Amino acid sequence: MRAAVIERQVPMAHVQTARAGGSPVPVLADLHWAAAAPWSVRVGFRRDGEQVFWRFGLDLLAAGVVQPPPGVAEHGPMTVWTAGEQRERILLGHAQDTDGRPGRLEARTSDLAEFLADALRAMAIRTAAV
């Protein structure tokens, strides 16, 4: 059986929260899930010419998407929560960004919910096939 991989490019905004001004910088992030590590999600993006990768649990992403307001899910250095009156944005917070300072990524909730649904569907199909 071939290893299932779910990949999607998603427009996001990156903010280094400890940086003075902390203005959002648009980035095109690559989301990656693989059956070989089914409970892990990787997000990669370029920041200041450097490729950055954050890893977090698929369960953390799911919890952050579905939690009732304020909808914060945390584990280790990662935090996931929704924002906006209609919860239209999801934020991925990381305790240590590219330079060791805190940072976050902001995306449309619908983009991450679709990615999450695809990964969960792939897990279910692989589990049913075993």
Side-chain angles (χ1 to χ4, degrees):
M1 182 181 295
R2 270 187 15 218
V5 174
I6 308 294
E7 294 180 314
R8 179 159 301 137
Q9 285 193 323
V10 175
M12 295 188 179
H14 177 257
V15 178
Q16 284 185 311
T17 55
R19 181 176 287 174
S23 302
V25 175
V27 295
L28 188 58
D30 296 310
L31 295 170
H32 177 89
W33 173 90
W39 294 105
S40 178
V41 174
R42 183 185 73 206
V43 61
F45 60 98
R46 294 198 67 77
R47 177 75 172 122
D48 298 330
E50 178 183 348
Q51 185 67 38
V52 177
F53 293 103
W54 293 355
R55 290 191 183 277
F56 54 95
L58 185 67
D59 57 338
L60 182 65
L61 178 59
V65 168
V66 301
Q67 290 282 342
V72 177
E74 295 182 79
H75 183 58
M78 293 298 297
T79 305
V80 179
W81 70 102
T82 56
E85 288 183 29
Q86 302 296 317
R87 297 175 55 153
E88 68 274 3
R89 292 178 326 216
I90 194 157
L91 295 93
L92 306 173
H94 197 290
Q96 289 191 348
D97 203 347
T98 57
D99 57 3
R101 295 184 289 181
R104 73 171 183 260
L105 289 168
E106 299 179 15
R108 289 187 307 261
T109 301
S110 59
D111 288 340
L112 292 181
E114 287 176 24
F115 173 80
L116 174 63
D118 289 346
L120 291 173
R121 190 175 307 110
M123 280 179 69
I125 290 169
R126 291 184 60 78
T127 302
V130 173

